[in-house]
Amino acid sequence: MTADLKYLKQRIPLLDYLQQRHWTARRVGAHPEFVSLCPLHPETRPSFYVNARKNLFYCHGCGRGGDLIRFVELSQGVSFRQSIAYLQQQVSPAADAEMLEKAAAFY
């Protein structure tokens, strides 16, 4: 199960997931960190940080943080298992087929 979760998190980076949902952020310093308004609660000042390298988020406003699975749990109000099922639906089978074709061509 752990390998499946790691694969799922690698297939859908947190930053990409947020940007697909129209979350706009600005880069913070030279690090792969981004900041913007928190999508989990209303606020007027940016306090939601995403570390793209670590694939984690933290909001200094509401104190919530975690990975992609935790973000889906919080934003959609679902359980851990439901968030995994939701994310598995987001991974397109066509992309997996393309990856398999590239691997077959390589070998």
Side-chain angles (χ1 to χ4, degrees):
M1 180 79 165
T2 305
D4 292 336
L5 290 178
K6 185 182 271 188
Y7 171 76
L8 186 62
K9 290 177 192 177
Q10 289 173 349
R11 284 291 285 138
I12 308 173
L14 177 61
L15 186 60
D16 292 348
Y17 178 84
L18 290 167
Q19 289 173 339
Q20 289 173 357
R21 277 138 189 86
H22 308 292
W23 183 75
T24 55
R26 63 177 171 84
R27 184 179 287 273
V28 178
H31 302 289
E33 251 186 37
F34 298 84
V35 64
S36 187
L37 298 175
C38 182
L40 301 174
H41 67 93
E43 66 179 356
T44 58
R45 294 183 178 208
S47 65
F48 188 82
Y49 287 80
V50 174
N51 186 313
R53 186 176 54 81
K54 293 180 181 179
N55 211 21
L56 296 173
F57 76 93
Y58 184 78
C59 177
H60 292 278
C62 63
R64 296 176 178 162
D67 59 6
L68 174 64
I69 296 169
R70 180 69 179 146
F71 180 80
V72 172
E73 285 180 66
L74 294 170
S75 65
Q76 299 199 4
V78 296
S79 71
F80 179 78
R81 289 178 187 241
Q82 290 170 324
S83 65
I84 292 172
Y86 172 79
L87 289 170
Q88 286 175 334
Q89 291 174 351
Q90 300 300 309
V91 176
S92 69
D96 287 339
E98 181 181 326
M99 184 174 62
L100 290 173
E101 286 179 25
K102 286 181 180 179
F106 178 76
Y107 291 108

